[in-house]
Amino acid sequence: MRHDLIPLLRHDLGHSLFTVERLSGAGAWGRSGGAALFRGERVAARRALDDRVPRDERERASDTLAKLFILGYPQPLSEVERALPTLGTAGAGSLDLVRVDGDTVHPLVDLRPYSFVDSLGEASWWIASDLGEMALQGPLPEDHVLGIGGASTTLSGLMVPRTVDRALDLGTGCGIQALHASRHARHVVATDISARALEFGRFNAALNLVDGIDWRLGSLFEPVAGETFDLIVSNPPFVITPRVPGVPSYEYRDGGMVGDALVATVVAEAGEHLAPGGIAQLLGNWETGAGAKRGAYSVLDWVALGPVPLDVWVVEREVQDATGYAETWIRDGGTRPGSPEFERLYEAWLDDFAARGVDEVGFGYVMLRRPQEPASEPVARVERLLGPLGAVDTGLGSHVLASLDASDALRELSDDGLLAAHPVVAGDVTEERHYWPGNDDPTVISLRQGGDFARTVESGTALSALVGACDGELSVGAILGALAQLLEVPERELTAEVLPQVRDLVRDGLLRL
């Protein structure tokens, strides 16, 4: 690949309207075309582009590039030359982006605009990866390099927004997490077992003028042996796949180990590569069933295998039974339901789960933190939060960091210290009450978090009243004393009941110290 041609491509893309804003929503292919694309169908989007009349050359270029690189339709040579006037089709061929066959140009990669908002503001990139199932119209090759998907945007949204010296993207794929990490880290190391993935990563970094990333080939932590980092992010190949002949093993999603052993390995080895105060964030699957398969709680067991005590926070976001999980990942590889090949793979997946006693597979987020100083008792949290997230325009990273910092503060804060604190209720917290008809006393009182994880906390009269009084003026102790008099209950008993709940609300971001 001739990297000296990348500036020419960047120039042409920048002078077109090949942007997320132009294509999405009610844009070039319309809402129905966009919805069809989300379902993996491209015909409606192509028809919408074919039916519209571009207003200028920039729109015309955008339409051609979208049909070529996103939808995967070959385009006339003359149209691609007009869309890439500086680079030209010859230059695009030298970059291994296209193949020219007479008067027709065929795409060799998926290249699409990508935009996001994080704590530093809005940003836009173009990201290249291998052509997907939709463009190929068939199963993916086993060395497929995945582009931007739901898991990658989830992880980038979780990334804690703090400036650090060194960050590691473990299993970088097309490099998207490394690019995100570069916005917060002075130095980034990105590793992958796939040389092709690293080539895509280098290309994407160069295309988007991102430097300071060290790309290394190797498995898991092998390329960074003996090194430590302030931030580790990983979307590892966590998909649980039968290890039998005839079942495709995709590099981007299958780690080559039995069951959830790949995620267990990453979790167990992460601690020795975290600097004091360092945070690791990853996505993963875990099995529930016979023996030691404890679902999300297995993560605690895996951390215990490592050499360094860590704070652990696991958030389980989805649970599938064995059949549903098998169906999801067979379809993901491009094998369509109803075909003999789908049934053959289905049998292999269910045989594997049955042989190992697996009933369910969970998916979620894992956050690990190495304390600055050895803690007497590491924090361990396992939660199942299956509902929709709250309003989080910039992702969950700020909430994750605030919650980890709150856990640190609470660990050092005695009950007397908490009673002396002057908390403030978060601005997104509302209260919900339910009544029996004709009854003035509520039967259920709930506190609801509008943002972050959109938690719902069942609250009694006392806790609800305390939260309502938390405006920063009064201490927790003063509020509890007043409530004890109002409710005519012993203050000591009320404090014993409510103070642990206050700790939880501070940790989860409903109250802020």
Side-chain angles (χ1 to χ4, degrees):
M1 179 184 297
R2 289 184 52 190
H3 282 252
D4 61 303
L5 296 175
I6 292 177
L8 305 182
L9 172 64
R10 186 188 315 116
H11 176 274
D12 289 341
L13 294 177
H15 283 74
S16 74
L17 290 177
F18 193 46
T19 65
V20 171
E21 182 181 11
R22 166 69 175 36
L23 296 174
S24 62
W29 44 50
R31 297 190 184 281
S32 60
L37 281 177
F38 184 77
R39 299 189 298 270
E41 301 296 338
R42 62 180 180 169
V43 173
R46 190 262 302 160
R47 289 169 63 94
L49 292 175
D50 287 344
D51 290 345
R52 67 184 308 279
V53 178
R55 291 177 296 181
D56 54 31
E57 278 298 310
R58 298 180 72 199
E59 283 198 356
R60 182 169 184 158
S62 173
D63 292 351
T64 299
L65 295 172
K67 284 186 280 190
L68 180 69
F69 288 121
I70 297 179
L71 304 184
Y73 288 108
Q75 295 297 298
L77 176 64
S78 59
E79 289 299 314
V80 178
E81 289 284 359
R82 292 181 69 165
L84 300 173
T86 309
L87 177 67
T89 53
S94 296
L95 285 173
D96 297 327
L97 303 178
V98 301
R99 174 177 59 84
V100 180
D101 183 10
D103 293 331
T104 303
V105 179
H106 299 264
L108 296 179
V109 301
D110 181 296
L111 176 64
R112 63 183 62 209
Y114 168 67
S115 63
F116 60 93
V117 181
D118 63 12
S119 63
L120 299 178
E122 298 182 9
S124 299
W125 295 326
W126 295 284
I127 301 297
S129 61
D130 273 329
L131 291 168
E133 170 196 345
M134 181 181 69
L136 295 175
Q137 294 292 286
L140 302 174
E142 294 190 22
D143 64 351
H144 177 79
V145 176
L146 190 67
I148 299 168
S152 55
T153 55
T154 294
L155 183 58
S156 63
L158 281 173
M159 196 177 298
V160 293
R162 63 171 188 167
T163 301
V164 298
D165 186 45
R166 306 191 75 224
L168 169 65
D169 176 15
L170 187 76
T172 190
C174 70
I176 186 63
Q177 304 304 329
L179 268 64
H180 275 287
S182 72
R183 290 171 62 82
H184 306 287
R186 298 179 184 89
H187 308 282
V188 178
V189 176
T191 69
D192 205 286
I193 199 171
S194 165
R196 293 187 66 253
L198 294 178
E199 269 302 300
F200 272 114
R202 293 187 185 95
F203 175 87
N204 288 326
L207 179 59
N208 295 290
L209 296 173
V210 176
D211 54 18
I213 301 177
D214 179 6
W215 307 91
R216 302 185 192 178
L217 181 66
S219 178
L220 299 180
F221 291 102
E222 290 175 3
V224 293
E227 299 180 52
T228 60
F229 300 88
D230 307 296
L231 175 67
I232 298 174
V233 292
S234 183
N235 180 15
F238 56 73
V239 176
I240 298 167
T241 305
R243 307 260 74 90
V244 295
V247 175
S249 179
Y250 298 105
E251 287 183 350
Y252 75 91
R253 72 178 205 189
D254 302 327
M257 299 184 186
V258 174
D260 51 22
L262 187 281
V263 178
T265 300
V266 174
V267 169
E269 295 181 2
E272 62 184 293
H273 295 281
L274 283 174
I279 297 171
Q281 300 178 275
L282 63 139
L283 307 180
N285 277 153
W286 34 78
E287 298 177 326
T288 301
K293 299 177 179 65
R294 302 200 301 139
Y297 287 91
S298 294
V299 178
L300 305 183
D301 302 331
W302 303 335
V303 171
L305 297 174
V308 180
L310 301 174
D311 293 334
V312 188
W313 182 14
V314 184
V315 180
E316 188 167 61
R317 295 286 295 146
E318 182 180 342
V319 180
Q320 289 182 290
D321 63 21
T323 57
Y325 186 87
E327 293 162 12
T328 295
W329 292 107
I330 297 170
R331 285 195 301 266
D332 177 79
T335 304
R336 298 297 178 97
S339 65
E341 179 66 4
F342 188 94
E343 289 206 356
R344 184 185 68 80
L345 294 174
Y346 204 4
E347 292 279 7
W349 245 277
L350 296 187
D351 284 347
D352 176 59
F353 284 140
R356 296 186 297 105
V358 177
D359 303 317
E360 292 180 337
V361 178
F363 163 81
Y365 319 148
V366 177
M367 278 73 72
L368 310 172
R369 189 175 202 176
R370 181 173 179 175
Q372 284 284 1
E373 302 293 338
S376 56
E377 187 64 36
V379 175
R381 298 172 59 189
V382 178
E383 303 181 271
R384 176 175 284 187
L385 300 174
L386 304 182
L389 297 174
V392 283
D393 292 339
T394 61
L396 285 166
S398 294
H399 170 66
V400 169
L401 182 59
S403 188
L404 291 171
D405 288 344
S407 293
D408 274 352
L410 290 168
R411 176 162 43 198
E412 305 300 326
L413 193 62
S414 66
D415 284 350
D416 288 341
L418 185 55
L419 287 169
H422 293 241
V424 176
V425 62
D428 63 339
V429 175
T430 57
E431 182 184 271
E432 184 177 279
R433 296 186 176 219
H434 295 265
Y435 298 82
W436 289 113
N439 195 326
D440 293 334
D441 296 323
T443 56
V444 177
I445 305 175
S446 300
L447 299 173
R448 293 191 177 274
Q449 188 178 43
D452 303 329
F453 281 111
R455 300 173 188 275
T456 296
V457 178
E458 298 304 319
S459 171
T461 301
L463 181 61
S464 181
L466 181 143
V467 170
C470 285
D471 59 3
E473 293 295 324
L474 297 174
S475 69
V476 173
I479 297 172
L480 285 172
L483 287 174
Q485 289 185 359
L486 183 65
L487 299 174
E488 298 180 344
V489 296
E491 183 176 344
R492 180 176 295 181
E493 293 181 9
L494 184 64
T495 299
E497 174 191 342
V498 173
L499 202 59
Q501 297 172 303
V502 173
R503 284 187 178 274
D504 290 343
L505 294 181
V506 171
R507 179 198 64 192
D508 295 336
L510 285 80
L511 290 177
R512 294 171 182 166
L513 295 179

